[in-house]
């Protein structure tokens, strides 16, 4: 899917991306797979939701959930009801942003919950983003468009033609603070790298990020509100690369 996306083959990329959970695209998450056939919601096959009752499975990681979350507004506008699961780390953020949806931690909903809700369609946030495409119905990031544009302008003040790409990873105690897998990328020209550590940084990593010759742009204040801060920064990026995948913002 990532190869297709880089080569501009978007239709093929989406088809291959549907296999990202390691099962056939129509399968429910393992904790819901024992549902009786008569109660099982139909797998999403494209097209609009059109006032049906929708279940959205959690994406693979927090970053994918934050990236695709804006399209949840489209689902809420078009569906009768929406049940969704997400990573526990993003639960309070998404619940506050989308109070009309019933959002639970990944793996916590039961077959009985879907039966009680009379769920008709099962999909994922990425499916919704593909279906509705374009710009989402409404923003949800805890910064507005003006703030995002201002941040982007500041990042490109001395490198106006660069691409702004975020790099999100879980910091470690290693010499490079967990950045070892990404080190070759940092030498690619024409990119303004924005550091988005998703956990506590060690003194050594903080010192490295603050160095004048660091290939990564980083401000500790960006992380002041945890995932909420990272979600706000996404509006200033063209692309995000995380430790578990790549996706466009």
């Amino acid at each position: 899917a990532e190869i297709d996306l880089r080569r501009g083959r978007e239709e093929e990329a989406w088809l291959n991306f549907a296999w990202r959970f390691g099962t056939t695209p129509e399968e429910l998450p393992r904790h819901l797979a024992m549902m009786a056939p008569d109660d099982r919601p139909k797998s999403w096959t494209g097209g609009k939701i059109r006032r049906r009752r929708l279940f959205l499975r959690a994406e693979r990681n927090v970053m994918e959930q934050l990236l695709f979350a804006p399209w949840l507004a489209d689902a809420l506008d078009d569906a009768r009801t929406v049940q969704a699961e997400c990573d526990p780390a993003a639960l309070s953020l998404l619940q506050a942003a989308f109070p009309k949806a019933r959002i639970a931690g990944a793996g916590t909903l039961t077959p009985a919950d879907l039966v009680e809700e009379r769920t008709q369609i099962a999909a994922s946030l990425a499916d919704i983003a593909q279906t509705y495409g374009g710009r989402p119905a409404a923003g949800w990031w805890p910064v507005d468009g003006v703030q995002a544009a201002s941040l982007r302008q500041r990042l490109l003040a001395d490198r106006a033609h660069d691409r702004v790409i975020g790099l999100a990873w879980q910091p470690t105690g290693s010499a490079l603070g967990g950045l070892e897998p990404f080190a070759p990328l940092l030498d690619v020209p024409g990119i303004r790298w924005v550091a988005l550590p998703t956990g506590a940084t060690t003194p050594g990593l903080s010192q490295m990020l603050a160095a004048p010759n660091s290939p990564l742009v980083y401000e500790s204040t960006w992380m002041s509100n945890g995932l909420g801060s990272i979600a706000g920064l996404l509006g200033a990026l063209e692309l995000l690369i995380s430790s578990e995948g790549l996706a466009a913002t």
Side-chain angles (χ1 to χ4, degrees):
E2 291 180 6
I3 292 172
D4 287 332
L5 186 62
R6 293 187 185 109
R7 293 180 178 177
R9 300 195 297 253
E10 293 190 10
E11 185 173 347
E12 293 89 343
W14 278 114
L15 289 173
N16 290 326
F17 190 61
W19 290 81
R20 64 195 177 280
F21 298 109
T23 60
T24 56
E26 66 271 10
E27 288 189 34
L28 286 170
R30 183 174 301 176
H31 63 289
L32 298 172
M34 72 289 293
M35 289 187 70
D38 291 343
D39 295 329
R40 187 184 297 265
K42 293 182 179 179
S43 178
W44 174 87
T45 56
K48 305 295 184 179
I49 302 168
R50 302 194 189 284
R51 306 307 299 165
R52 288 175 287 183
R53 301 175 187 273
L54 175 68
F55 164 71
L56 293 173
R57 70 182 299 169
E59 291 296 338
R60 294 176 297 176
N61 56 67
V62 171
M63 285 301 159
E64 287 184 354
Q65 290 163 35
L66 296 183
L67 285 169
F68 293 125
W71 282 271
L72 183 51
D74 292 275
L76 287 166
D77 285 345
D78 204 15
R80 186 176 299 274
T81 62
V82 175
Q83 282 183 313
E85 290 190 334
C86 71
D87 190 288
L91 184 58
S92 61
L93 190 65
L94 295 180
Q95 286 176 330
F98 302 103
K100 293 182 180 179
R102 178 184 174 187
I103 304 177
T108 62
L109 290 178
T110 67
D113 292 321
L114 271 63
V115 171
E116 181 181 358
E117 193 70 17
R118 293 180 292 167
T119 305
Q120 297 167 287
I121 304 176
S124 70
L125 278 174
D127 294 333
I128 300 303
Q130 178 189 4
T131 298
Y132 290 87
R135 298 189 63 83
W140 74 279
W141 294 306
V143 296
D144 60 29
V146 173
Q147 288 174 303
S150 175
L151 174 59
R152 181 177 174 80
Q153 184 176 20
R154 183 158 57 89
L155 289 170
L156 295 175
D158 58 342
R159 296 165 58 172
H161 300 292
D162 282 6
R163 299 188 69 188
V164 181
I165 299 179
L167 188 58
W169 80 102
Q170 180 66 40
T172 68
S174 66
L176 292 180
L179 283 169
E180 287 85 353
F182 306 108
L185 295 176
L186 303 181
D187 293 326
V188 177
I191 297 176
R192 191 66 156 175
W193 292 103
V194 176
L196 300 173
T198 58
T201 59
T202 63
L205 177 59
S206 297
Q207 185 176 1
M208 182 183 74
L209 293 174
N213 61 344
S214 174
L216 292 152
V217 181
Y218 174 73
E219 294 181 14
S220 59
T221 55
W222 290 347
M223 304 295 107
S224 60
N225 190 32
L227 284 178
S229 297
I230 292 177
L233 284 167
L234 295 181
L237 305 178
E238 295 175 53
L239 198 71
L240 174 71
I241 298 177
S242 76
S243 55
E244 298 184 54
L246 173 152
T249 62

